[in-house]
Amino acid sequence: MVGPKIQKPGTDLPIKYEQNGSSKDNALSLDSWWKNFNDEDLNNYINIAIKNNYDLKIAIEKIEQARSIYRIKKADLFPEINLTAQTIRQQISKNLTTSFFQESINQNYFQFGFDAIWELDFFGKLARSKQAAYFSYLQTQDSLLNVYIILLSDVAKTYIDIITLKNKIRINERKLFLQNQIYELNLKKFESGLSSEILEKEQYKIIQSISQDIVNLKTFYKTNINRLAVLLGRIPEDLDKDFNKEKPIPQVAKDIDVGLPSELLRRRPDIRRAENLLYEKTANIGVAVAQLFPSFSLIGGFNYESSKTKNWFTWASKSWFIGPTFDLPLLDFGRRIANVDATKADEKQALYSYKNTVLLALEDVENALVSYFHEKQNLSLILNKYNAQKKITKLKKDLFTSGLESKINYLEYELVLLDDEDEYIDKERNVSIDLISLIKALGGGW
């Protein structure tokens, strides 16, 4: 086969990531990673999405399409044999004859047989086309894996966001309840002349702000319900009732084994797809180069031909032909040379795209690692802060119960506690989302 050989592209990879994960002995597996959240509803949604998601179904059909195209290119290497049959009755115009006395002639023609053609692939044009089709087929498999990984992460992230929003709505509704109590107490103080109107209006403004936050949270909640429905291939109204009960945000106790950067080359479907695209473009150079050389084919056929049906299948009615054909481009004004140059440039683009995909994958993993481990640290800090505020609020409640603290001061500490709880829920959500992003960046899930 003419054209360059297909070779694995060289890549410069670091020995390890700047931020390492857990040891392999105490780390969650990338395969079926969602099961580590120990949430049966999440597991169920993942299974439904794998079965019903339409993007995934489209990707599967693209594989079938690419496989069929590969079979076509593979079949081009072999002879093509066609069965032919004709029954024709025709009238020949008398104006086509030179004799004045010649009348128009009615003639019958009966034919049955086969013909064959086989292009001999001396320079590998057909073999390279088959090769290119094979790597194109592998790309559709990698595209399916990419859709699969994105789907699993999107389902898990959307599910966690819905639970987070549900909890934040609950917290803000509680804040609104407490703020209304503070407002009522300040309103009575204002009406009694014990405080200014400014304080009463400030409290009223806070109530409106919290009410606005609740409206926004409910809007985000609904849009996430709709998004999850699309991912699952279901109607949104069927999902809302699944989140009537309050649920904790799913967490994973174990850390993740990030492995080595070199493992990305085999695990990330986008890198594999870029690599197979490069191989396809390299094979296309061979196709273009082969078109500069002669093409040879064998043709042949065997038929029974007769003008009468009674003689149709007699041995005397046989006809046959066999022989080679030769085709050599002589003058195309540089068209084929330009085609070779174009395919070489296309192959260079694929090579640079592959190297860029590897760099982007490394960036993706490093960013995900930093976000995940820093958010875990933030979660630990906000938990300490939240626990301290719980203790302070309890002491304030004891003082209020003993009559040593005003109700307004006590309620304000309750509000601060709710603010800390709100922040803690956000951090819990971020840790889980960042973990999913890290697993996705590592190419986990298949």
Side-chain angles (χ1 to χ4, degrees), residues 14-15 34 103 142 156-157 174 184 193 250 283 299 344 359 440:
I15 299 175
W34 57 92
E103 298 292 334
D142 296 327
K157 287 180 178 179
R174 174 65 179 169
E184 292 294 335
I299 61 172
K344 287 182 178 179
L359 289 178
K440 177 184 171 185

Side-chain angles (χ1 to χ4, degrees), residues 381-396:
L381 294 173
I382 187 61
L383 179 59
N384 295 335
K385 176 183 171 183
Y386 177 55
N387 288 333
Q389 185 61 37
K390 281 171 64 175
K391 182 65 175 177
I392 294 170
T393 304
K394 183 180 181 303
L395 294 173
K396 285 289 183 180

Side-chain angles (χ1 to χ4, degrees), residues 143-238:
S143 295
L144 170 64
L145 293 176
N146 202 46
V147 171
Y148 182 81
I149 291 171
I150 292 173
L151 173 63
L152 298 187
S153 65
D154 283 353
V155 170
K157 287 180 178 179
T158 306
Y159 175 76
I160 290 171
D161 279 339
I162 290 172
I163 294 176
T164 301
L165 289 165
K166 196 74 173 179
N167 280 280
K168 289 175 73 69
I169 290 171
R170 171 187 58 79
I171 290 172
N172 278 269
E173 286 177 343
R174 174 65 179 169
K175 287 168 65 176
L176 181 61
F177 173 74
L178 295 178
Q179 193 63 53
N180 273 315
Q181 290 189 50
I182 294 174
Y183 172 74
E184 292 294 335
L185 292 171
N186 280 307
L187 180 61
K188 290 179 179 179
K189 290 174 67 176
F190 166 67
E191 292 173 348
S192 303
L194 299 177
S195 67
S196 67
E197 187 178 3
I198 295 177
L199 184 59
E200 182 263 334
K201 292 303 181 185
E202 286 178 346
Q203 296 298 325
Y204 179 79
K205 182 181 176 181
I206 294 173
I207 289 173
Q208 302 310 307
S209 178
I210 296 174
S211 300
Q212 184 181 3
D213 290 341
I214 292 173
V215 172
N216 292 335
L217 288 170
K218 288 183 177 179
T219 301
F220 295 147
Y221 169 79
K222 189 60 180 178
T223 55
N224 275 274
I225 286 287
N226 295 337
R227 180 60 189 154
L228 182 60
V230 171
L231 294 173
L232 302 182
R234 289 175 55 180
I235 299 173
E237 285 72 12
D238 293 343

